[in-house]
Amino acid sequence: MSASGVAVLLSWLSCCGSALWRYSSNSPNYHIFSTRSTIKLEYEGTLFSEWSVPGTCSIKNKRSPKTELRCSSPGIQIIKPIVTGPDLEEERYLSVDSSHTCFLWYYKVINFTNNLTQVIIIWIYDPENADPNELLWNANEPSLNSIILSKQLATLGQKPAIYTVLRRKVYFPHRKMKNGTWHISIPMTEDDVLKEIRGNQVAFQDCFIADIFFLLTFSFLTIPEIPEFLPISSPQGSQLMADWAACVPSFVVVVADMETFQTNDSFRTWTRIRVPPNILTDDERHSVSDVTLSQDGIFFLINGILYLKNYNAFKGLGSNVNLPDGGIIGITSRKWCWINYLLKNKGRRSSMAIWTENEVYLGYALLKFVKIITTEELKELLNMSSAATLTIHNVEYTGHPLELALLLNYCITCSIIKTIYLVIYNEDTKQWVFQDFALDVTTDTFLIPNFIYSALPELILWDKHRIYYYYHNFTDTGVLQTPTEFGNLSRLSHNSTIHDVFMDYYGNIVVKMENNVMFYFKINIKDAVKLHLWTNSTIKSLISLNTSGKMYLIHVFENGTIHPQEYPLKLEAQSIAFKTKEKCPYMAFHNDIFRVFYLLDKGQNLSVWAQIVYPENIGLYIIVESYGPKILEEKNQLHYEIASGYCTKTMTVTFSQNINYEAVDDYFKLQYQNTGLLLVHVRPSEHAKTCPVSQKVFQISVGCDANKFIAVKGFDKKECLQHDFFYIIEKSYLRDRPPKHLRVKYNWEKYGCPLRVDFREKFHPVVQLYNDSGYVEDVEVNFIVWEIHGRDDYSFNNTMKKSGCLHEAQTWKSMTELNKRLPLEEAWGPANYKHCFSYAIGKPGDLNQPYEIINKSNRNHLVWPLDHSGMYVFRVKILDPNYSFCNLTTIFAIETFGVIPSPSAYMVAAFLFLLMLLFCSILVLSYFHYLRIYREYIYEPLHKSERKQKNN
């Protein structure tokens, strides 16, 4: 071929399908890329001649475009294809490890929705000797090699366990190995989705098993395809658009210009989304301009109208759900996963935002939509001129779990230039905060924001050609630079425009152009590098996150099919960095921040440490930054070491709150002012694109832990007959002395089993604190008890004087008299508690009264009446105002026994009456009985003989 012919061909490839090459390995996500790995090489193009590889690597067939490579020596291996023609193909600098990690865990999930559990079937496999189904991750059972390998390692002591990252729980196999597999049963959760499979440190032939992270939550079902339904898509020729659930990134919807696709496993399997005929016209079906996922279904934006597709229907949304019937210009959902967060005002957190040019709506579960602001209201809030034009440019959720950002178009004449402003809305406090942000652009410019996973509000914006960065709460701003063309990415990618920007939780940012050219940088970095070409420009692609939190590519083909492809971002970035000689300024950055959510109650503090190791004379340090209300004190302690030319700095940071809530004027107001949500990140003072992790972000919430509760020791629901029953409380035993006896239903489900106590035994309740992980501690602080049905026929063994009071202590009688308008359970508590151990508070009074406050150490006991037994249902409340933000209460029941009841006067009188009646009756009967005897045996015989004598 002539030189001109080669030039024409290369020109065609550059615009219609550039020549490129890539590589892959058998290990998922390139987890193992070592001297033991088989590296598969693939050249895509027509000018291939042969592969150029180092002498330390052996290649199967160097003249085949598709071949396999093995490198026996670790290090940087320079690999490139040799092509015919004047141009050279780019070379890659592949980093090959020398690792003893050779094997991987394979897992398969079986969902049991009837009892909300999941059984994880686990086995060990060698990616270099695995079955094809195992490599494709669709195996239902282990291959023969995997069975043998799993059994061999099991005999050496290997046994997997599943560790949850957020709640720190551990699950073990519930039975012995069966057919080379372990089975672990775990509950389905939505707030503990990040899990890790770990094994014991067992080696086989000097090879270990790599731990594996994965996301697992409730089983999300995809919407089934219905044959007679029709495709729904974006306009012909448009780029792919997608959305995924922030906390379940494997649940994705992708809209192409011929179909819409959905998956729940990162496109290992997928379905097409179709809509019923006769609802949309053909033009409307091919006019999707935006898409978002929600628990209610998939939302499509078509010609300014919002449509919902779920399992049951496809319908338009408008005034019937408090949304406009048209004019909607955008929808968005959350990008970052915050499973736990604190809402001070007990409201709700939105899942999506919808906006027109002049209005913003928030969407909640069950199709609830609320308008939160209009541009006219924003003008008043921001003190803008009424003559100015203010419209909504774009809307995006920030990195904060409760905040939303609005980009606003502001102009006076609006002919050439407009100014973009930014305001942030907090869904909990309902406050709008105007940010120090202003960007002048032409009136036809459209900017797309993407907030960084960071504690501070930080974002990048992009138009068609450039990336704008705003770091450190908008104090460090500019245009992302490139080695040439002054940051104009289009000029470095054959005049293509920016399609999408991808970010992950590790600080990596990838800019994808429409022709699949990609640029790479990290957060807090102000320049980008061009990555090696990976995907042909004729294929439409998109970047997403898989179940392991790694980046992968989604390819959509013209035949209406979709295919995922793993992308080795770390290896590709290392290849570019080796070429540019860029190095990370520090050697290591460690910390002990293992959670993303910490909840502090009263009296608690949080200490974390971070450590940076760097070469001597560079002068790095650790930065701790926070964003949110100033409700915590922060104390830093720095430790510094230097040895062998390396410096080590260790910073320990302690967050605490030291506020006395006792005897304050407004207890609840003070609590409200000192609760809230704080975002914190810890980062090195300098960064580079070669550094593994840019910063560590976590959340500190100060307030009530909803999973915290108390219980009285020794009570449960198992040691009694489980049934409800009724009993009577005499009116004389009730606090209010009602005219009638009280009939009470004992609710076993509510009260549990009553504890039977001899009436001569005093009872001291021991209160214990629990959370969702189980027992925490015995409660040492003060608490009070009261009988919930109004009984007051019990007392306490300690008096105020015996307890050390210097003045009269609070009692139920005094507190109910003081708070007559409040119900009994609110009359006395931490909000109005005052101790009795100071002369400055209260009056002397009678110190011989019972002391009605109990704690673990004061030996104050409940004392029972001696003349009758009874059933008592007590409620316990923590009284100490400095113990918890929660209103901690619980119920326990006591049944006293052993009293010989005193007879009543009526019963005695009735008994005596019956006794006298019986006695009189016996006397009367005896009289007549003896009278009959007298007559029969004495009187009549005597008179009979006298009559005989008289007759004679």
Side-chain angles (χ1 to χ4, degrees), residues 702-900:
V702 181
C704 173
D705 182 358
N707 297 313
K708 183 181 289 187
F709 63 95
I710 58 172
V712 178
K713 184 179 180 180
F715 291 81
D716 57 31
K717 293 185 178 181
K718 298 178 181 178
E719 298 181 357
C720 65
L721 182 62
Q722 302 176 5
H723 73 291
D724 296 348
F725 57 89
F726 292 89
Y727 62 95
I728 301 295
I729 303 177
E730 288 192 27
K731 58 185 179 182
S732 60
Y733 304 154
L734 295 170
R735 180 179 284 107
D736 298 330
R737 302 297 186 267
K740 295 182 179 180
H741 300 319
L742 180 64
R743 186 171 184 262
V744 175
K745 179 183 179 181
Y746 188 91
N747 189 326
W748 173 85
E749 186 64 34
K750 213 178 200 182
Y751 307 150
C753 293
L755 180 67
R756 287 176 55 81
V757 176
D758 190 282
F759 77 103
R760 292 163 294 189
E761 294 182 9
K762 297 179 289 185
F763 179 74
H764 179 79
V766 176
V767 181
Q768 297 179 322
L769 181 68
Y770 292 82
N771 59 22
D772 56 343
S773 298
Y775 170 81
V776 177
E777 64 180 6
D778 285 355
V779 176
E780 305 278 351
V781 300
N782 291 339
F783 59 90
I784 51 176
V785 300
W786 71 96
E787 213 283 335
I788 65 173
H789 298 121
R791 298 188 74 142
D792 65 351
D793 57 331
Y794 60 91
S795 186
F796 300 84
N797 69 315
N798 278 3
T799 63
M800 299 178 186
K801 184 176 182 180
K802 185 178 178 181
S803 299
C805 288
L806 301 177
H807 63 82
E808 188 174 308
Q810 293 173 326
T811 63
W812 276 111
K813 182 179 179 181
S814 65
M815 297 306 292
T816 51
E817 289 178 356
L818 191 64
N819 301 284
K820 293 180 179 179
R821 297 181 180 180
L822 297 176
L824 180 66
E825 59 270 14
E826 296 180 15
W828 192 11
N832 55 13
Y833 168 69
K834 295 179 181 179
H835 66 79
C836 63
F837 307 109
S838 172
Y839 289 110
I841 305 174
K843 57 182 180 179
D846 180 12
L847 300 185
N848 293 316
Q849 299 179 66
Y851 185 65
E852 299 182 0
I853 300 172
I854 308 174
N855 60 45
K856 185 180 179 182
S857 60
N858 70 356
R859 299 183 180 180
N860 199 10
H861 293 71
L862 291 168
V863 180
W864 315 111
L866 301 177
D867 58 345
H868 61 271
S869 300
M871 178 71 73
Y872 300 83
V873 181
F874 289 101
R875 184 176 291 278
V876 179
K877 179 192 284 188
I878 300 298
L879 189 61
D880 192 325
N882 291 313
Y883 185 69
S884 177
F885 289 104
C886 303
N887 182 28
L888 295 173
T889 67
T890 190
I891 287 180
F892 69 97
I894 298 288
E895 181 184 8
T896 61
F897 68 93
V899 175
I900 300 175

Side-chain angles (χ1 to χ4, degrees), residues 637-652:
Q637 184 178 1
L638 188 64
H639 180 71
Y640 181 79
E641 293 181 2
I642 184 168
S644 303
Y646 291 96
C647 300
T648 301
K649 286 183 181 177
T650 305
M651 176 183 283
T652 302

